[in-house]
Amino acid sequence: MFTSCYAVNMELRHKHLKLNQRKIDQARRALGTKTEQDTLDRALDMVLAEERIVRTLRRGKAIGGFEDVFGRR
């Protein structure tokens, strides 16, 4: 399962959000998490990890090494 290897200046804040419960339930099952908090934390970690990967691939593409087959800019 995905784990994050960084936790620098981790600051927790309470948020009041309106979220789609069906999406949360589907994400919880997909990620294998037990709580909604764990689900949202894991999903955010995955988004941040993907951003780092995309940024690295963009650098490689700039030198002619990669092609973004998903059409992201």
Side-chain angles (χ1 to χ4, degrees):
M1 193 52 77
F2 178 84
T3 58
S4 178
C5 60
Y6 66 95
V8 178
N9 271 342
M10 192 164 113
E11 183 177 344
L12 299 178
R13 293 190 178 195
H14 290 274
K15 300 289 181 181
H16 179 81
L17 304 169
K18 292 182 182 181
L19 302 171
N20 184 316
Q21 188 63 48
R22 188 177 312 154
K23 287 182 181 181
I24 294 171
D25 293 341
Q26 289 174 338
R28 184 180 46 77
R29 284 190 297 277
L31 296 171
T33 52
K34 293 185 179 187
T35 68
E36 291 181 356
Q37 179 67 52
D38 289 342
T39 302
L40 295 173
D41 283 341
R42 181 78 54 90
L44 290 170
D45 286 343
M46 292 177 73
V47 168
L48 295 173
E50 181 182 0
E51 173 56 28
R52 288 193 307 272
I53 291 167
V54 168
R55 197 175 328 121
T56 299
L57 291 174
R58 283 184 188 144
R59 279 189 227 125
K61 183 179 177 183
I63 59 172
F66 300 101
E67 177 183 347
D68 186 354
V69 297
F70 298 108
R72 291 179 255 192
R73 298 192 193 287

Coordinates of all heavy atoms in Angstrom, one line a residue:
M1 N 0.8 -1.2 0.0 CA 0.0 0.0 0.0 C 0.9 1.2 0.0 O 2.0 1.2 0.4 CB -0.9 0.0 1.2 CG -2.0 0.9 1.2 SD -3.1 1.0 -0.2 CE -4.1 -0.4 0.1
F2 N 0.4 2.3 -0.4 CA 1.1 3.6 -0.5 C 1.4 4.2 0.8 O 0.5 4.2 1.7 CB 0.3 4.6 -1.4 CG 0.9 5.9 -1.5 CD1 1.9 6.1 -2.4 CD2 0.6 6.9 -0.6 CE1 2.4 7.4 -2.5 CE2 1.1 8.2 -0.7 CZ 2.1 8.4 -1.7
T3 N 2.6 4.6 1.1 CA 2.9 5.3 2.3 C 3.7 6.5 2.0 O 4.5 6.5 1.0 CB 3.7 4.4 3.3 OG1 4.9 4.0 2.6 CG2 2.9 3.2 3.7
S4 N 3.6 7.5 2.8 CA 4.3 8.7 2.5 C 5.6 8.7 3.4 O 5.6 8.3 4.5 CB 3.5 9.9 3.0 OG 4.2 11.1 2.8
C5 N 6.7 9.2 2.8 CA 7.9 9.2 3.5 C 8.4 10.6 3.9 O 9.5 10.9 4.2 CB 9.0 8.6 2.6 SG 9.3 9.5 1.0
Y6 N 7.4 11.5 4.0 CA 7.8 12.9 4.5 C 6.6 13.4 5.4 O 5.5 13.2 5.1 CB 8.0 13.8 3.3 CG 6.8 14.1 2.5 CD1 6.0 15.2 2.8 CD2 6.4 13.3 1.5 CE1 4.9 15.5 2.0 CE2 5.2 13.5 0.8 CZ 4.5 14.6 1.0 OH 3.4 14.9 0.3
A7 N 7.0 14.1 6.4 CA 6.0 14.7 7.3 C 6.7 15.9 8.0 O 6.9 15.9 9.2 CB 5.5 13.7 8.3
V8 N 7.1 16.8 7.2 CA 7.8 18.0 7.8 C 6.8 19.1 8.1 O 5.9 19.4 7.2 CB 8.8 18.5 6.7 CG1 9.5 19.8 7.3 CG2 9.8 17.4 6.4
N9 N 6.8 19.6 9.3 CA 5.9 20.7 9.7 C 4.4 20.3 9.5 O 3.7 21.0 8.9 CB 6.2 22.0 8.9 CG 7.2 22.9 9.6 OD1 7.4 22.7 10.8 ND2 7.7 23.8 8.8
M10 N 4.1 19.1 9.9 CA 2.7 18.6 9.8 C 1.8 19.4 10.7 O 2.0 19.3 11.9 CB 2.7 17.1 10.1 CG 1.4 16.5 9.7 SD 1.6 14.7 9.6 CE 0.5 14.3 11.0
E11 N 0.9 20.2 10.2 CA 0.0 21.0 11.0 C -1.4 20.5 10.7 O -1.8 20.4 9.6 CB 0.2 22.4 10.6 CG -0.7 23.3 11.4 CD -0.5 24.8 11.0 OE1 0.5 25.1 10.4 OE2 -1.4 25.6 11.4
L12 N -2.1 20.1 11.7 CA -3.5 19.7 11.6 C -4.4 20.8 11.9 O -4.2 21.6 12.9 CB -3.7 18.5 12.6 CG -2.9 17.3 12.4 CD1 -3.3 16.2 13.4 CD2 -3.1 16.7 11.0
R13 N -5.5 20.9 11.1 CA -6.5 21.9 11.3 C -7.9 21.3 11.1 O -8.0 20.4 10.3 CB -6.4 23.1 10.4 CG -5.1 23.9 10.6 CD -5.2 25.1 9.8 NE -3.9 25.8 10.1 CZ -3.8 27.1 9.7 NH1 -4.7 27.7 9.1 NH2 -2.7 27.7 10.0
H14 N -8.8 21.7 11.9 CA -10.2 21.2 11.7 C -10.8 22.0 10.5 O -10.7 23.2 10.4 CB -11.0 21.5 13.0 CG -10.6 20.6 14.1 ND1 -11.1 19.4 14.3 CD2 -9.8 20.9 15.1 CE1 -10.6 18.8 15.4 NE2 -9.8 19.7 15.9
K15 N -11.5 21.2 9.7 CA -12.1 21.8 8.5 C -13.6 21.3 8.5 O -13.9 20.2 8.8 CB -11.5 21.3 7.2 CG -10.0 21.7 7.1 CD -9.9 23.2 6.9 CE -8.4 23.6 6.7 NZ -8.2 25.0 6.5
H16 N -14.5 22.2 8.1 CA -15.8 21.8 7.9 C -16.1 21.8 6.4 O -16.1 22.9 5.8 CB -16.8 22.8 8.6 CG -18.2 22.5 8.4 ND1 -18.9 21.5 9.1 CD2 -19.1 23.0 7.5 CE1 -20.1 21.5 8.7 NE2 -20.3 22.4 7.8
L17 N -16.3 20.6 5.8 CA -16.4 20.5 4.4 C -17.7 19.8 4.0 O -18.1 18.9 4.7 CB -15.2 19.8 3.8 CG -13.8 20.3 4.1 CD1 -12.7 19.3 3.7 CD2 -13.6 21.6 3.4
K18 N -18.2 20.1 2.8 CA -19.3 19.3 2.3 C -18.7 18.4 1.2 O -18.2 18.9 0.2 CB -20.3 20.2 1.6 CG -21.1 21.0 2.7 CD -22.2 21.9 2.0 CE -22.9 22.7 3.0 NZ -23.9 23.5 2.4
L19 N -18.7 17.1 1.4 CA -18.1 16.1 0.5 C -19.1 15.1 0.1 O -20.0 14.8 0.9 CB -16.9 15.5 1.2 CG -15.8 16.4 1.7 CD1 -14.8 15.6 2.6 CD2 -15.1 17.1 0.6
N20 N -18.8 14.5 -1.0 CA -19.7 13.5 -1.6 C -19.4 12.2 -0.8 O -18.4 11.6 -0.9 CB -19.4 13.3 -3.1 CG -20.3 12.3 -3.7 OD1 -20.6 11.2 -3.2 ND2 -20.8 12.6 -4.9
Q21 N -20.4 11.7 0.0 CA -20.2 10.5 0.8 C -19.9 9.3 0.0 O -19.1 8.4 0.4 CB -21.4 10.3 1.7 CG -21.2 9.2 2.7 CD -20.1 9.5 3.7 OE1 -20.1 10.6 4.3 NE2 -19.2 8.6 4.0
R22 N -20.6 9.2 -1.1 CA -20.4 8.0 -2.0 C -18.9 7.9 -2.5 O -18.3 6.8 -2.5 CB -21.3 8.1 -3.2 CG -21.3 6.8 -4.0 CD -22.3 6.8 -5.2 NE -23.6 7.3 -4.7 CZ -24.5 7.9 -5.5 NH1 -24.2 8.1 -6.8 NH2 -25.6 8.2 -5.0
K23 N -18.3 9.1 -2.8 CA -16.9 9.1 -3.2 C -16.0 8.7 -2.1 O -15.0 8.0 -2.3 CB -16.6 10.5 -3.8 CG -17.1 10.8 -5.1 CD -16.7 12.1 -5.6 CE -17.3 12.5 -7.0 NZ -16.8 13.8 -7.4
I24 N -16.3 9.2 -0.9 CA -15.5 8.9 0.2 C -15.6 7.4 0.5 O -14.5 6.7 0.7 CB -15.9 9.6 1.5 CG1 -15.7 11.1 1.3 CG2 -15.2 9.1 2.7 CD1 -16.3 12.0 2.4
D25 N -16.8 6.8 0.4 CA -16.9 5.3 0.7 C -16.2 4.5 -0.4 O -15.5 3.5 0.0 CB -18.4 5.0 0.7 CG -19.2 5.5 1.9 OD1 -18.5 5.9 2.9 OD2 -20.4 5.6 1.8
Q26 N -16.3 4.9 -1.6 CA -15.6 4.2 -2.7 C -14.1 4.3 -2.5 O -13.4 3.4 -2.7 CB -16.0 4.8 -4.1 CG -17.4 4.4 -4.4 CD -17.9 5.1 -5.7 OE1 -17.3 6.1 -6.2 NE2 -18.9 4.5 -6.4
A27 N -13.6 5.5 -2.2 CA -12.2 5.7 -1.9 C -11.7 4.9 -0.8 O -10.6 4.3 -0.8 CB -11.9 7.2 -1.7
R28 N -12.5 4.8 0.3 CA -12.1 4.0 1.5 C -11.9 2.6 1.1 O -11.0 1.9 1.5 CB -13.2 4.2 2.6 CG -12.8 3.5 3.9 CD -13.9 3.7 5.0 NE -15.2 3.5 4.5 CZ -15.8 2.3 4.3 NH1 -15.0 1.2 4.5 NH2 -17.0 2.1 3.9
R29 N -12.9 2.0 0.3 CA -12.8 0.7 -0.1 C -11.6 0.4 -1.0 O -10.8 -0.5 -0.8 CB -14.0 0.2 -0.8 CG -15.2 -0.1 0.2 CD -16.4 -0.7 -0.5 NE -17.0 0.1 -1.5 CZ -17.9 1.0 -1.3 NH1 -18.3 1.3 -0.1 NH2 -18.4 1.7 -2.3
A30 N -11.4 1.4 -1.9 CA -10.2 1.2 -2.9 C -8.9 1.3 -2.2 O -7.9 0.6 -2.5 CB -10.3 2.3 -3.9
L31 N -8.8 2.2 -1.1 CA -7.5 2.4 -0.4 C -7.4 1.4 0.7 O -6.3 1.3 1.3 CB -7.4 3.8 0.1 CG -7.4 4.9 -1.0 CD1 -7.5 6.3 -0.4 CD2 -6.1 4.8 -1.8
G32 N -8.4 0.7 1.1 CA -8.4 -0.2 2.2 C -8.2 0.5 3.6 O -7.6 -0.1 4.5
T33 N -8.7 1.7 3.7 CA -8.6 2.5 5.0 C -9.8 2.2 5.8 O -10.9 1.8 5.3 CB -8.4 4.0 4.7 OG1 -9.5 4.4 3.8 CG2 -7.1 4.3 4.0
K34 N -9.7 2.5 7.1 CA -10.8 2.2 8.0 C -11.6 3.4 8.3 O -12.8 3.3 8.6 CB -10.3 1.6 9.3 CG -9.7 0.2 9.1 CD -9.3 -0.5 10.4 CE -8.7 -1.9 10.1 NZ -8.5 -2.6 11.3
T35 N -11.0 4.6 8.3 CA -11.7 5.8 8.7 C -11.7 6.8 7.6 O -10.9 6.7 6.7 CB -11.1 6.4 10.0 OG1 -9.8 7.0 9.6 CG2 -11.0 5.5 11.1
E36 N -12.7 7.7 7.6 CA -12.7 8.7 6.6 C -11.5 9.6 6.7 O -11.0 10.0 5.7 CB -14.0 9.6 6.8 CG -15.3 8.8 6.4 CD -16.5 9.6 6.5 OE1 -16.5 10.8 7.0 OE2 -17.6 9.1 6.2
Q37 N -11.0 9.9 7.9 CA -9.8 10.7 8.0 C -8.6 10.0 7.4 O -7.9 10.7 6.6 CB -9.5 10.9 9.5 CG -8.2 11.8 9.8 CD -8.4 13.2 9.3 OE1 -9.3 13.8 9.7 NE2 -7.4 13.7 8.5
D38 N -8.4 8.7 7.6 CA -7.4 8.0 7.0 C -7.5 8.0 5.4 O -6.5 8.1 4.7 CB -7.3 6.6 7.4 CG -6.8 6.4 8.9 OD1 -6.2 7.4 9.4 OD2 -7.0 5.4 9.5
T39 N -8.8 7.9 5.0 CA -9.0 7.9 3.5 C -8.6 9.2 2.9 O -7.9 9.2 1.9 CB -10.5 7.6 3.3 OG1 -10.9 6.4 3.9 CG2 -10.8 7.6 1.8
L40 N -9.0 10.3 3.5 CA -8.7 11.6 3.0 C -7.2 11.9 3.0 O -6.6 12.4 2.1 CB -9.5 12.7 3.7 CG -11.0 12.6 3.5 CD1 -11.8 13.6 4.4 CD2 -11.4 12.8 2.0
D41 N -6.6 11.5 4.1 CA -5.1 11.7 4.3 C -4.4 10.9 3.2 O -3.5 11.4 2.5 CB -4.6 11.3 5.6 CG -4.9 12.3 6.7 OD1 -5.2 13.4 6.4 OD2 -4.9 11.9 7.9
R42 N -4.8 9.7 3.0 CA -4.1 8.8 2.0 C -4.3 9.4 0.6 O -3.4 9.4 -0.2 CB -4.7 7.4 2.1 CG -4.1 6.4 1.2 CD -2.7 5.9 1.6 NE -2.7 5.4 2.9 CZ -3.0 4.1 3.3 NH1 -3.3 3.2 2.4 NH2 -2.9 3.8 4.6
A43 N -5.6 9.8 0.3 CA -5.9 10.3 -1.0 C -5.0 11.6 -1.3 O -4.5 11.8 -2.4 CB -7.4 10.6 -1.1
L44 N -4.9 12.5 -0.3 CA -4.1 13.7 -0.5 C -2.6 13.3 -0.6 O -1.9 13.9 -1.5 CB -4.3 14.6 0.7 CG -5.7 15.3 0.8 CD1 -5.8 16.0 2.1 CD2 -5.9 16.2 -0.4
D45 N -2.2 12.3 0.1 CA -0.8 11.9 -0.1 C -0.5 11.4 -1.5 O 0.5 11.7 -2.1 CB -0.4 10.8 0.9 CG -0.2 11.2 2.3 OD1 0.0 12.5 2.5 OD2 -0.3 10.4 3.2
M46 N -1.5 10.7 -2.0 CA -1.4 10.1 -3.4 C -1.3 11.3 -4.4 O -0.6 11.2 -5.4 CB -2.5 9.1 -3.7 CG -2.3 7.9 -2.8 SD -3.7 6.7 -3.1 CE -3.3 6.1 -4.7
V47 N -2.2 12.3 -4.2 CA -2.2 13.4 -5.2 C -0.8 14.1 -5.1 O -0.3 14.5 -6.2 CB -3.3 14.4 -4.8 CG1 -3.2 15.7 -5.6 CG2 -4.7 13.8 -5.1
L48 N -0.3 14.3 -3.9 CA 1.0 15.0 -3.8 C 2.1 14.2 -4.4 O 3.0 14.7 -5.0 CB 1.3 15.3 -2.3 CG 0.3 16.3 -1.7 CD1 0.6 16.5 -0.2 CD2 0.4 17.7 -2.4
A49 N 2.1 12.9 -4.2 CA 3.1 12.0 -4.8 C 3.0 12.0 -6.3 O 4.0 12.1 -7.0 CB 2.9 10.6 -4.3
E50 N 1.8 12.0 -6.9 CA 1.6 12.0 -8.3 C 2.2 13.4 -8.9 O 2.8 13.4 -9.9 CB 0.1 11.9 -8.7 CG -0.1 11.9 -10.2 CD -1.5 11.8 -10.6 OE1 -2.4 11.7 -9.7 OE2 -1.8 11.9 -11.8
E51 N 1.9 14.4 -8.2 CA 2.5 15.7 -8.6 C 4.0 15.7 -8.7 O 4.6 16.2 -9.7 CB 2.0 16.9 -7.7 CG 2.6 18.2 -8.0 CD 2.4 18.7 -9.5 OE1 1.4 18.3 -10.1 OE2 3.3 19.4 -9.9
R52 N 4.6 15.1 -7.7 CA 6.1 15.0 -7.8 C 6.6 14.2 -8.9 O 7.5 14.5 -9.6 CB 6.6 14.4 -6.4 CG 6.6 15.4 -5.3 CD 7.4 14.9 -4.1 NE 7.0 13.6 -3.6 CZ 6.1 13.3 -2.8 NH1 5.3 14.2 -2.3 NH2 5.8 12.0 -2.5
I53 N 5.8 13.1 -9.2 CA 6.2 12.2 -10.3 C 6.0 13.0 -11.7 O 6.9 13.0 -12.5 CB 5.3 10.9 -10.3 CG1 5.7 10.1 -9.1 CG2 5.5 10.2 -11.6 CD1 4.8 8.9 -8.8
V54 N 4.9 13.7 -11.8 CA 4.6 14.4 -13.0 C 5.6 15.5 -13.2 O 6.1 15.7 -14.3 CB 3.1 15.0 -13.0 CG1 2.9 16.0 -14.1 CG2 2.1 13.9 -13.1
R55 N 6.0 16.2 -12.2 CA 7.0 17.2 -12.3 C 8.3 16.6 -12.7 O 9.0 17.2 -13.6 CB 7.2 17.9 -10.9 CG 7.9 19.2 -11.0 CD 8.0 19.9 -9.6 NE 6.9 19.7 -8.7 CZ 7.0 19.2 -7.5 NH1 8.1 18.9 -7.0 NH2 5.9 19.0 -6.7
T56 N 8.7 15.5 -12.2 CA 10.0 14.8 -12.6 C 9.9 14.4 -14.1 O 10.8 14.6 -14.9 CB 10.2 13.6 -11.8 OG1 10.4 14.0 -10.4 CG2 11.5 12.9 -12.2
L57 N 8.7 13.9 -14.5 CA 8.6 13.5 -15.9 C 8.6 14.7 -16.8 O 9.1 14.6 -17.9 CB 7.2 12.7 -16.1 CG 7.2 11.3 -15.4 CD1 5.8 10.7 -15.5 CD2 8.2 10.4 -16.0
R58 N 8.0 15.8 -16.4 CA 8.1 17.0 -17.2 C 9.5 17.4 -17.4 O 9.9 17.9 -18.5 CB 7.3 18.1 -16.6 CG 5.8 18.0 -16.8 CD 5.1 19.2 -16.2 NE 3.7 18.9 -16.2 CZ 2.8 19.3 -15.2 NH1 3.3 20.0 -14.2 NH2 1.6 19.1 -15.3
R59 N 10.3 17.3 -16.4 CA 11.8 17.7 -16.6 C 12.4 16.8 -17.6 O 13.2 17.2 -18.4 CB 12.5 17.6 -15.2 CG 12.3 18.8 -14.4 CD 13.2 18.8 -13.1 NE 12.3 19.2 -12.0 CZ 12.2 18.4 -10.9 NH1 12.9 17.3 -10.7 NH2 11.4 18.8 -9.9
G60 N 12.1 15.5 -17.5 CA 12.7 14.5 -18.4 C 12.2 14.8 -19.9 O 13.0 14.7 -20.8
K61 N 10.9 15.2 -20.0 CA 10.4 15.5 -21.3 C 11.1 16.7 -21.9 O 11.3 16.8 -23.1 CB 8.9 15.8 -21.2 CG 8.2 16.0 -22.5 CD 6.7 16.2 -22.3 CE 6.0 16.6 -23.6 NZ 4.6 16.8 -23.4
A62 N 11.4 17.7 -21.0 CA 12.1 18.9 -21.5 C 13.4 18.6 -22.2 O 13.9 19.3 -23.1 CB 12.3 19.9 -20.4
I63 N 14.0 17.5 -21.8 CA 15.3 17.1 -22.4 C 15.1 16.0 -23.5 O 16.0 15.4 -24.0 CB 16.4 16.7 -21.4 CG1 15.9 15.5 -20.6 CG2 16.8 17.8 -20.5 CD1 16.9 14.8 -19.7
G64 N 13.8 15.8 -23.8 CA 13.5 14.9 -24.9 C 13.4 13.4 -24.5 O 13.3 12.5 -25.3
G65 N 13.3 13.2 -23.2 CA 13.3 11.8 -22.7 C 11.9 11.1 -22.5 O 11.8 9.9 -22.5
F66 N 10.8 11.9 -22.3 CA 9.6 11.3 -22.0 C 8.5 12.0 -22.8 O 8.6 13.2 -23.2 CB 9.2 11.5 -20.5 CG 10.2 10.9 -19.6 CD1 11.2 11.7 -19.0 CD2 10.2 9.5 -19.4 CE1 12.1 11.1 -18.1 CE2 11.1 9.0 -18.5 CZ 12.0 9.7 -17.9
E67 N 7.4 11.3 -23.1 CA 6.2 11.8 -23.7 C 5.0 11.6 -22.8 O 4.8 10.5 -22.3 CB 5.9 11.1 -25.0 CG 4.7 11.6 -25.7 CD 4.4 10.8 -27.0 OE1 5.3 10.1 -27.5 OE2 3.3 10.9 -27.5
D68 N 4.3 12.7 -22.5 CA 3.1 12.6 -21.6 C 1.9 12.0 -22.5 O 1.3 12.7 -23.2 CB 2.7 13.9 -21.1 CG 1.6 13.9 -20.0 OD1 1.0 12.8 -19.9 OD2 1.3 14.9 -19.4
V69 N 1.6 10.7 -22.3 CA 0.6 10.1 -23.1 C -0.8 10.5 -22.6 O -1.8 10.2 -23.3 CB 0.8 8.6 -23.2 CG1 2.1 8.2 -23.8 CG2 0.7 8.0 -21.8
F70 N -0.9 11.1 -21.5 CA -2.2 11.5 -20.9 C -2.6 12.9 -21.3 O -3.7 13.3 -21.0 CB -2.2 11.3 -19.4 CG -2.0 9.9 -18.9 CD1 -0.8 9.6 -18.3 CD2 -2.9 9.0 -19.1 CE1 -0.6 8.3 -17.9 CE2 -2.7 7.7 -18.7 CZ -1.6 7.3 -18.1
G71 N -1.7 13.6 -21.9 CA -2.0 14.9 -22.4 C -2.1 16.0 -21.4 O -2.7 17.0 -21.5
R72 N -1.4 15.8 -20.2 CA -1.4 16.8 -19.2 C -0.4 17.9 -19.6 O 0.6 17.7 -20.2 CB -1.0 16.2 -17.8 CG -2.1 15.3 -17.3 CD -1.7 14.8 -16.0 NE -1.3 13.4 -16.3 CZ -1.1 12.5 -15.3 NH1 -1.1 12.8 -14.1 NH2 -0.8 11.3 -15.6
R73 N -0.6 19.1 -19.1 CA 0.3 20.2 -19.4 C 1.1 20.5 -18.2 O 0.9 20.4 -17.2 CB -0.5 21.4 -19.9 CG -1.3 21.1 -21.1 CD -1.8 22.4 -21.7 NE -2.8 22.2 -22.7 CZ -2.5 21.7 -23.9 NH1 -1.3 21.4 -24.3 NH2 -3.5 21.6 -24.8

